[in-house]
Amino acid sequence: GTDLKIDYNNVDGFNRYPSDLMGEYKQSIEEGLDVEKYKNLFEAVSSLPNGEYKTRLSDVIYEMVMNAKMQSGYKYNEPFSFEEIKALRRSHEFQRSRPDRETLRKKLLGAWTGRACGCLLGKPIECIRSDELIPLLKETGNYPMNRYILSSDITDEVCSHYKFFLKNKPYADTVDGMPVDDDTNYVVLAQKIIEDYGRNFDSKDVATAWMKYQSVFSYFTAERIAFINFINCIEPPASAMYKNICREWIGAQIRGDYFGYINPGNPEKAAEMAFRDARISHVKNGVYGEMFVSAMIACAAVTDSIEDIILGGLAQIPATSRLHEAVMKIFDGYKNG
């Protein structure tokens, strides 16, 4: 017979738990899991060459993480079930003005156009770090950023100053529309989910739609890990947790727009739909992020007050969460000058 030798395909690094064990360690500490005593083990296994032994040892680490207790004195309460989330909300009442059909149409068009405009602004420099971005903007007379980066900014001399690859990107003066992007794909995909399964879709429907409409290479970070979990017959919500070091990243947060669009003035319903979507790939603040954004967009349909939009969104997530605390820190800082 033939000896079976398995080579582990990294698929861009997004589906291989062993390749970022220190990311798992950091994630677990932030979540409040009592794993600090295992730091040396994480570091030792992380330093091993990729292969069978590292993979098997990382399986043991994964089991330890999944069975870890919470740190004593951890100050946040971040539940996973929708009913528990609802119980920890802090309500915010505000004046709502229901728009007429044409005003709502304009607001929706503005939301979708704004989404595309924002994505185009960042797309050519996605993944650049601030230590190169800020000098680039200063060198091209665009700091603080007040316009799109143009292809005319990106001369050979400018490129020679940076490690980040700047050539042949979709700059605003070289495109005739918004290029394909995972952020905008999710808005269209959400509409397909509603068309196929209705407003009462469940998380399993979302997973099915993902596999039906896009390949694995359309997904990144937590979403790609979840997609691979679906294919391996791991259903939501376990798909969000199984070897997913990106489980509180912002992937779900970029998927929530459409649920805000179709629930104007009803942030609670928008957040509930966002919850059903988010839980296939994220946990805790990863889920709350999508709920927050969807609820804000639902609020924006019926008020132009930025403060009410932010607080109305926050009213749909646990007031006991890290995300709530972080947003309020910025909000309070603004209010205090």
Side-chain angles (χ1 to χ4, degrees):
T2 303
D3 290 334
L4 175 65
K5 183 178 185 305
I6 296 174
D7 288 324
Y8 291 96
N9 175 8
N10 221 13
V11 193
D12 292 352
F14 290 132
N15 72 322
R16 296 298 305 137
Y17 190 75
S19 66
D20 195 7
L21 286 173
M22 295 316 296
E24 173 64 278
Y25 177 77
K26 184 172 186 284
Q27 163 66 39
S28 298
I29 291 291
E30 289 183 2
E31 256 183 287
L33 299 178
D34 185 18
V35 298
E36 195 167 353
K37 57 197 171 192
Y38 305 132
K39 186 178 183 182
N40 290 344
L41 177 62
F42 275 88
E43 290 173 338
V45 177
S46 182
S47 68
L48 292 173
N50 288 333
E52 183 183 359
Y53 293 124
K54 185 175 184 178
T55 299
R56 282 159 60 184
L57 287 166
S58 73
D59 287 344
V60 175
I61 286 178
Y62 172 74
E63 283 187 39
M64 292 165 72
V65 168
M66 286 297 102
N67 290 306
K69 292 184 167 52
M70 296 297 291
Q71 302 164 16
S72 64
Y74 187 67
K75 71 174 187 172
Y76 304 102
N77 184 3
E78 298 171 332
F80 196 55
S81 80
F82 189 67
E83 290 307 313
E84 289 176 294
I85 289 170
K86 282 172 66 175
L88 295 172
R89 295 177 304 181
R90 183 182 299 153
S91 66
H92 175 72
E93 297 303 323
F94 61 95
Q95 190 70 38
R96 304 176 192 215
S97 175
R98 187 81 181 186
D100 59 43
R101 188 177 182 85
E102 180 58 20
T103 302
L104 182 59
R105 190 192 72 81
K106 287 179 178 177
K107 283 202 170 204
L108 283 168
L109 179 60
W112 175 232
T113 306
R115 176 55 140 154
C117 291
C119 284
L120 182 61
L121 182 68
K123 192 167 180 67
I125 48 168
E126 187 166 11
C127 298
I128 198 172
R129 294 295 182 256
S130 56
D131 62 346
E132 289 207 312
L133 175 59
I134 292 171
L136 171 66
L137 294 176
K138 286 180 176 177
E139 185 174 1
T140 54
N142 190 15
Y143 186 81
M145 198 176 204
N146 58 82
R147 60 170 174 81
Y148 282 81
I149 299 174
L150 304 176
S151 62
S152 55
D153 295 326
I154 310 302
T155 63
D156 289 340
E157 183 185 358
V158 166
C159 288
S160 70
H161 301 159
Y162 305 99
K163 294 176 186 172
F164 187 82
F165 186 73
L166 294 164
K167 286 282 189 181
N168 302 318
K169 296 293 183 75
Y171 293 106
D173 56 338
T174 63
V175 298
D176 60 2
M178 175 62 203
V180 66
D181 186 88
D182 58 322
D183 298 55
T184 45
N185 286 354
Y186 285 125
V187 186
V188 179
L189 188 56
Q191 177 162 310
K192 294 298 293 180
I193 290 165
I194 297 296
E195 288 173 355
D196 288 356
Y197 304 105
R199 291 173 62 92
N200 294 320
F201 68 90
D202 62 27
S203 299
K204 198 172 174 182
D205 295 329
V206 178
T208 301
W210 279 26
M211 292 185 285
K212 178 180 177 182
Y213 288 115
Q214 296 190 134
S215 84
V216 68
F217 293 105
S218 300
Y219 303 95
F220 301 92
T221 63
E223 282 73 18
R224 184 171 291 182
I225 296 165
F227 188 99
I228 290 164
N229 285 339
F230 307 151
I231 292 170
N232 287 326
C233 302
I234 300 171
E235 294 188 351
S239 53
M241 302 178 211
Y242 184 69
K243 295 187 176 178
N244 187 354
I245 63 159
C246 311
R247 56 191 177 269
E248 288 194 289
W249 290 23
I250 63 163
Q253 189 167 300
I254 68 171
R255 308 201 309 254
D257 297 43
Y258 191 79
F259 306 120
Y261 295 172
I262 64 172
N263 289 292
N266 191 346
E268 184 169 11
K269 190 64 180 176
E272 192 242 321
M273 285 187 176
F275 170 83
R276 284 184 257 147
D277 178 78
R279 69 196 286 268
I280 75 172
S281 56
H282 287 73
V283 303
K284 300 179 182 178
N285 295 277
V287 172
Y288 310 154
E290 181 170 353
M291 296 174 70
F292 172 51
V293 167
S294 299
M296 281 197 293
I297 292 172
C299 292
V302 293
T303 180
D304 293 327
S305 164
I306 297 295
E307 291 188 16
D308 284 332
I309 290 168
I310 294 169
L311 295 175
L314 278 182
Q316 300 304 323
I317 70 170
T320 54
S321 64
R322 283 165 283 152
L323 177 59
H324 194 286
E325 179 184 76
V327 175
M328 283 308 300
K329 185 177 179 182
I330 301 295
F331 186 88
D332 291 340
Y334 165 74
K335 294 294 283 184
N336 293 322

PDB file of all heavy atoms in Angstrom, residues 114-131:
ATOM      1  N   GLY A 114     -22.505  55.624   0.157  1.00  0.00           N
ATOM      2  CA  GLY A 114     -21.497  55.950   1.157  1.00  0.00           C
ATOM      3  C   GLY A 114     -20.638  54.755   1.508  1.00  0.00           C
ATOM      4  O   GLY A 114     -19.420  54.874   1.728  1.00  0.00           O
ATOM      5  N   ARG A 115     -21.265  53.588   1.556  1.00  0.00           N
ATOM      6  CA  ARG A 115     -20.529  52.341   1.829  1.00  0.00           C
ATOM      7  C   ARG A 115     -19.481  52.111   0.735  1.00  0.00           C
ATOM      8  O   ARG A 115     -18.316  51.817   1.017  1.00  0.00           O
ATOM      9  CB  ARG A 115     -21.537  51.182   1.872  1.00  0.00           C
ATOM     10  CG  ARG A 115     -20.936  49.817   2.057  1.00  0.00           C
ATOM     11  CD  ARG A 115     -20.074  49.780   3.287  1.00  0.00           C
ATOM     12  NE  ARG A 115     -20.233  48.541   4.022  1.00  0.00           N
ATOM     13  CZ  ARG A 115     -19.296  48.040   4.817  1.00  0.00           C
ATOM     14  NH1 ARG A 115     -18.144  48.657   4.948  1.00  0.00           N
ATOM     15  NH2 ARG A 115     -19.510  46.948   5.492  1.00  0.00           N
ATOM     16  N   ALA A 116     -19.906  52.274  -0.513  1.00  0.00           N
ATOM     17  CA  ALA A 116     -18.981  52.082  -1.632  1.00  0.00           C
ATOM     18  C   ALA A 116     -17.867  53.128  -1.605  1.00  0.00           C
ATOM     19  O   ALA A 116     -16.687  52.808  -1.813  1.00  0.00           O
ATOM     20  CB  ALA A 116     -19.746  52.135  -2.954  1.00  0.00           C
ATOM     21  N   CYS A 117     -18.226  54.376  -1.331  1.00  0.00           N
ATOM     22  CA  CYS A 117     -17.227  55.450  -1.280  1.00  0.00           C
ATOM     23  C   CYS A 117     -16.184  55.189  -0.194  1.00  0.00           C
ATOM     24  O   CYS A 117     -14.980  55.369  -0.410  1.00  0.00           O
ATOM     25  CB  CYS A 117     -17.907  56.793  -1.002  1.00  0.00           C
ATOM     26  SG  CYS A 117     -18.929  57.412  -2.346  1.00  0.00           S
ATOM     27  N   GLY A 118     -16.648  54.763   0.970  1.00  0.00           N
ATOM     28  CA  GLY A 118     -15.726  54.485   2.070  1.00  0.00           C
ATOM     29  C   GLY A 118     -14.807  53.321   1.767  1.00  0.00           C
ATOM     30  O   GLY A 118     -13.605  53.359   2.054  1.00  0.00           O
ATOM     31  N   CYS A 119     -15.366  52.280   1.142  1.00  0.00           N
ATOM     32  CA  CYS A 119     -14.544  51.115   0.789  1.00  0.00           C
ATOM     33  C   CYS A 119     -13.495  51.483  -0.257  1.00  0.00           C
ATOM     34  O   CYS A 119     -12.346  51.043  -0.181  1.00  0.00           O
ATOM     35  CB  CYS A 119     -15.422  49.986   0.262  1.00  0.00           C
ATOM     36  SG  CYS A 119     -16.330  49.126   1.559  1.00  0.00           S
ATOM     37  N   LEU A 120     -13.881  52.303  -1.229  1.00  0.00           N
ATOM     38  CA  LEU A 120     -12.933  52.706  -2.269  1.00  0.00           C
ATOM     39  C   LEU A 120     -11.797  53.545  -1.679  1.00  0.00           C
ATOM     40  O   LEU A 120     -10.647  53.438  -2.111  1.00  0.00           O
ATOM     41  CB  LEU A 120     -13.647  53.487  -3.374  1.00  0.00           C
ATOM     42  CG  LEU A 120     -12.769  53.922  -4.546  1.00  0.00           C
ATOM     43  CD1 LEU A 120     -12.160  52.716  -5.259  1.00  0.00           C
ATOM     44  CD2 LEU A 120     -13.562  54.774  -5.535  1.00  0.00           C
ATOM     45  N   LEU A 121     -12.127  54.365  -0.689  1.00  0.00           N
ATOM     46  CA  LEU A 121     -11.111  55.206  -0.044  1.00  0.00           C
ATOM     47  C   LEU A 121      -9.997  54.347   0.553  1.00  0.00           C
ATOM     48  O   LEU A 121      -8.812  54.669   0.432  1.00  0.00           O
ATOM     49  CB  LEU A 121     -11.765  56.056   1.056  1.00  0.00           C
ATOM     50  CG  LEU A 121     -10.851  57.039   1.804  1.00  0.00           C
ATOM     51  CD1 LEU A 121     -10.387  58.156   0.889  1.00  0.00           C
ATOM     52  CD2 LEU A 121     -11.589  57.615   3.012  1.00  0.00           C
ATOM     53  N   GLY A 122     -10.384  53.236   1.168  1.00  0.00           N
ATOM     54  CA  GLY A 122      -9.397  52.422   1.864  1.00  0.00           C
ATOM     55  C   GLY A 122      -8.813  51.278   1.052  1.00  0.00           C
ATOM     56  O   GLY A 122      -7.746  50.764   1.388  1.00  0.00           O
ATOM     57  N   LYS A 123      -9.508  50.864  -0.004  1.00  0.00           N
ATOM     58  CA  LYS A 123      -9.124  49.630  -0.702  1.00  0.00           C
ATOM     59  C   LYS A 123      -7.673  49.610  -1.214  1.00  0.00           C
ATOM     60  O   LYS A 123      -6.978  48.609  -1.049  1.00  0.00           O
ATOM     61  CB  LYS A 123     -10.098  49.354  -1.848  1.00  0.00           C
ATOM     62  CG  LYS A 123      -9.944  47.946  -2.430  1.00  0.00           C
ATOM     63  CD  LYS A 123     -11.098  47.588  -3.332  1.00  0.00           C
ATOM     64  CE  LYS A 123     -10.947  46.191  -3.915  1.00  0.00           C
ATOM     65  NZ  LYS A 123     -11.044  45.122  -2.911  1.00  0.00           N
ATOM     66  N   PRO A 124      -7.159  50.692  -1.812  1.00  0.00           N
ATOM     67  CA  PRO A 124      -5.791  50.607  -2.354  1.00  0.00           C
ATOM     68  C   PRO A 124      -4.712  50.462  -1.280  1.00  0.00           C
ATOM     69  O   PRO A 124      -3.599  50.048  -1.588  1.00  0.00           O
ATOM     70  CB  PRO A 124      -5.617  51.937  -3.100  1.00  0.00           C
ATOM     71  CG  PRO A 124      -6.920  52.613  -3.107  1.00  0.00           C
ATOM     72  CD  PRO A 124      -7.766  51.995  -2.057  1.00  0.00           C
ATOM     73  N   ILE A 125      -5.058  50.816  -0.046  1.00  0.00           N
ATOM     74  CA  ILE A 125      -4.047  50.782   1.025  1.00  0.00           C
ATOM     75  C   ILE A 125      -4.453  49.827   2.149  1.00  0.00           C
ATOM     76  O   ILE A 125      -3.940  49.916   3.262  1.00  0.00           O
ATOM     77  CB  ILE A 125      -3.796  52.199   1.595  1.00  0.00           C
ATOM     78  CG1 ILE A 125      -5.122  52.911   1.903  1.00  0.00           C
ATOM     79  CG2 ILE A 125      -2.939  53.025   0.639  1.00  0.00           C
ATOM     80  CD1 ILE A 125      -4.993  54.163   2.708  1.00  0.00           C
ATOM     81  N   GLU A 126      -5.367  48.896   1.860  1.00  0.00           N
ATOM     82  CA  GLU A 126      -5.773  47.942   2.879  1.00  0.00           C
ATOM     83  C   GLU A 126      -4.569  47.133   3.355  1.00  0.00           C
ATOM     84  O   GLU A 126      -3.805  46.609   2.546  1.00  0.00           O
ATOM     85  CB  GLU A 126      -6.849  46.995   2.329  1.00  0.00           C
ATOM     86  CG  GLU A 126      -7.419  46.089   3.383  1.00  0.00           C
ATOM     87  CD  GLU A 126      -8.695  45.383   2.967  1.00  0.00           C
ATOM     88  OE1 GLU A 126      -9.045  45.422   1.772  1.00  0.00           O
ATOM     89  OE2 GLU A 126      -9.353  44.788   3.836  1.00  0.00           O
ATOM     90  N   CYS A 127      -4.402  47.069   4.656  1.00  0.00           N
ATOM     91  CA  CYS A 127      -3.322  46.345   5.342  1.00  0.00           C
ATOM     92  C   CYS A 127      -2.034  47.157   5.488  1.00  0.00           C
ATOM     93  O   CYS A 127      -1.077  46.688   6.106  1.00  0.00           O
ATOM     94  CB  CYS A 127      -2.997  44.993   4.707  1.00  0.00           C
ATOM     95  SG  CYS A 127      -4.400  43.858   4.765  1.00  0.00           S
ATOM     96  N   ILE A 128      -1.969  48.385   4.971  1.00  0.00           N
ATOM     97  CA  ILE A 128      -0.813  49.231   5.269  1.00  0.00           C
ATOM     98  C   ILE A 128      -0.854  49.582   6.760  1.00  0.00           C
ATOM     99  O   ILE A 128      -1.923  49.593   7.378  1.00  0.00           O
ATOM    100  CB  ILE A 128      -0.828  50.521   4.414  1.00  0.00           C
ATOM    101  CG1 ILE A 128       0.567  51.167   4.383  1.00  0.00           C
ATOM    102  CG2 ILE A 128      -1.871  51.508   4.884  1.00  0.00           C
ATOM    103  CD1 ILE A 128       0.685  52.329   3.403  1.00  0.00           C
ATOM    104  N   ARG A 129       0.307  49.839   7.352  1.00  0.00           N
ATOM    105  CA  ARG A 129       0.367  50.218   8.760  1.00  0.00           C
ATOM    106  C   ARG A 129       0.615  51.724   8.877  1.00  0.00           C
ATOM    107  O   ARG A 129       1.148  52.356   7.955  1.00  0.00           O
ATOM    108  CB  ARG A 129       1.468  49.434   9.482  1.00  0.00           C
ATOM    109  CG  ARG A 129       1.183  47.932   9.568  1.00  0.00           C
ATOM    110  CD  ARG A 129      -0.034  47.658  10.434  1.00  0.00           C
ATOM    111  NE  ARG A 129      -0.324  46.249  10.603  1.00  0.00           N
ATOM    112  CZ  ARG A 129      -1.303  45.599   9.970  1.00  0.00           C
ATOM    113  NH1 ARG A 129      -2.066  46.234   9.099  1.00  0.00           N
ATOM    114  NH2 ARG A 129      -1.526  44.327  10.209  1.00  0.00           N
ATOM    115  N   SER A 130       0.236  52.289  10.023  1.00  0.00           N
ATOM    116  CA  SER A 130       0.301  53.746  10.179  1.00  0.00           C
ATOM    117  C   SER A 130       1.723  54.286  10.044  1.00  0.00           C
ATOM    118  O   SER A 130       1.916  55.435   9.644  1.00  0.00           O
ATOM    119  CB  SER A 130      -0.308  54.163  11.521  1.00  0.00           C
ATOM    120  OG  SER A 130       0.342  53.498  12.579  1.00  0.00           O
ATOM    121  N   ASP A 131       2.744  53.459  10.369  1.00  0.00           N
ATOM    122  CA  ASP A 131       4.122  53.959  10.259  1.00  0.00           C
ATOM    123  C   ASP A 131       4.519  54.222   8.807  1.00  0.00           C
ATOM    124  O   ASP A 131       5.487  54.938   8.544  1.00  0.00           O
ATOM    125  CB  ASP A 131       5.115  53.003  10.936  1.00  0.00           C
ATOM    126  CG  ASP A 131       5.151  51.620  10.291  1.00  0.00           C
ATOM    127  OD1 ASP A 131       4.242  51.298   9.494  1.00  0.00           O
ATOM    128  OD2 ASP A 131       6.082  50.852  10.583  1.00  0.00           O
TER     129      ASP A 131
END
